[in-house]
Structures are given as C-alpha cells and as structure tokens.
Amino acid sequence: MAVFVALGAFLMTLAGGWTAQRVTDRRHLVLGLAGGLMLGVVGLDLLPEALDAAGDEIFGVPAALLLFVAGFLLAHLVERLLAVRQAAHGGEEHNGRAPEVGLTAAAAMVGHSAMDGVAIGAAFQVGGGMGAAVAVAVIAHDFADGFNTYTITTLYGNARRKAVAMLFADAAAPVVGAASTLFFSIPEHLLGGYLGFFGGALLYLAAAEILPEAHHEHPARSTLLCTIAGAAFIWLVVGVAE
C-alpha cells in the first residue's frame, strides 16, 4: 500500500516540474512562487516536524534548530566554494552562479523526496489512518518539490536535459523510499535532525537566491503576490493534512 501511494507522489512531482517548464515566459512569477513554496515548506512543514521528532536540546537550544542553522551555513559555504572553484578554473557561470550548486540543491531535493517515501512507509507500519494522513501531506507538497527541483536546476544555468533528469529522479525517490521501509526503518530522532538540516539549506536557497532573482528584473507586485500565494498554499496543505 505504501509503495502504491508513493506512485501518487511520483505523478504529482512530475506535474510540478511540467508546470515550471510551461511558464518560462513568466520566469519572475515562477521564481516568486517557488520562493513562497520553499518558504512555506520550511517554516510550516519541515521545521515543526523536525522539532517534534528531534526533541533533544544542546546548551538550551533544540538540536533540530542547531542543525537548521548548520544547513543554512553549509549551503552558503558550498555555494561560495563552488563559485570560487569555477572562477579559478575559468569555468562557465550563469549570472555569477555555478551550475554545480543547482545540481547539488536538486540532489538534496531528491534526498528529501526519498525521506518522504520513508515517512509514508513508516506511517503505514503504524496504521492505515496514520499512513493516509502522511500520504496526503506528502503527495500535496510533492507538487512543490517537482516545481522547485526543476526551477532550482535551471536557475543556475544547467541544461534542460539535466533539469528533466533531476526532476525524474525526484519523482522516483518517494517510491524508492517507501519500498525501503520493507527492509529497515530510520530512528525518529535522526529523521528529525535531517529535516532540520535540510530545512536550513532550503531556506538559504529561497532567501538568498530564488527570491532576489525573482525581483531582480521584475520587481512587480504580482511577483510578491505569487510568493505569498506559494506560502499560503503550503499552509493550506498542512492544515488539510492535520
């Protein structure tokens, strides 16, 4: 049942990526929406789950929040190191951005989607009701995952074929993750730590890259409204899932 449900996440992820491809003539709106979706996923979905799962504190601060900050800083460090490396070797950049950063970020999205599949499988092991609730949340926000995976990859100047390849990898990841729960399970505190860390990296990409690019050439009110709509959509998804 978990693998069958994960197929719905597969289709929803592809739908998100297809949408991102079809609206390239309104790129600033796409980026604004992607930034809002990423902000909503981090603040309203990933971080609350991380705080619930990784409840330990280190020097008075929840471990999930420390890993959240670590993820943010690591994303910044990786981007800077790759950009410097590209410049030192005379590599091509896209608007000052190293294409490897886009691929790394997309790979992180694939890893997150695999963990979504693991979450579906683990929830169904607890019970059918729990599995259904988690499946609704995962399938709904996998549209945003597909949308963001394609957008992030192309934003950094990668070819369309690479973006499509990462999109299909992201779509297949929940199915693989759900199937893996037939053989093992991940301790809850480790899962919480991962969610916090990934949330920090995702927030960096949204705040430091996606949203500034969205407003760079088109500082329009419609772009801002798309960002708000993206965050509101994730709020709606989380509310329905609860």
Side-chain angles (χ1 to χ4, degrees), residues 115 118 184-191:
M115 295 306 297
V118 171
F184 68 92
S185 60
I186 298 178
E188 185 178 12
H189 68 282
L190 292 180
L191 181 60

Side-chain angles (χ1 to χ4, degrees), residues 27-200:
R27 185 169 177 270
H28 60 291
L29 299 180
V30 171
L31 293 174
L33 179 62
L37 290 171
M38 292 167 75
L39 175 62
V41 167
V42 172
L44 306 177
D45 186 17
L46 292 181
L47 206 51
E49 288 186 21
L51 289 170
D52 284 342
D56 295 337
E57 292 188 356
I58 301 176
F59 288 104
V61 179
L65 290 182
L66 289 175
L67 287 167
F68 174 81
V69 173
F72 188 98
L73 292 175
L74 182 63
H76 177 56
L77 177 63
V78 167
E79 183 192 37
R80 290 296 88 209
L81 289 177
L82 287 176
V84 169
R85 178 176 174 274
Q86 284 284 106
H89 290 79
E92 181 180 356
E93 291 189 354
H94 176 72
N95 293 332
R97 295 184 172 90
E100 290 90 343
V101 175
L103 293 176
T104 301
M109 295 293 292
V110 173
H112 170 61
S113 293
M115 295 306 297
D116 280 347
V118 171
I120 292 175
F124 271 103
Q125 289 178 3
V126 173
M130 175 67 73
V134 171
V136 169
V138 168
I139 290 175
H141 90 250
D142 271 354
F143 179 88
D145 284 352
F147 190 99
N148 291 334
T149 297
Y150 186 88
T151 301
I152 288 172
T153 307
T154 55
L155 175 65
Y156 284 84
N158 290 287
R160 180 180 178 275
R161 58 181 178 80
K162 290 186 178 180
V164 171
M166 296 307 298
L167 174 63
F168 271 91
D170 188 46
V175 181
V176 175
S180 71
T181 59
L182 300 174
F183 307 101
F184 68 92
S185 60
I186 298 178
E188 185 178 12
H189 68 282
L190 292 180
L191 181 60
Y194 164 78
L195 292 175
F197 183 82
F198 176 69

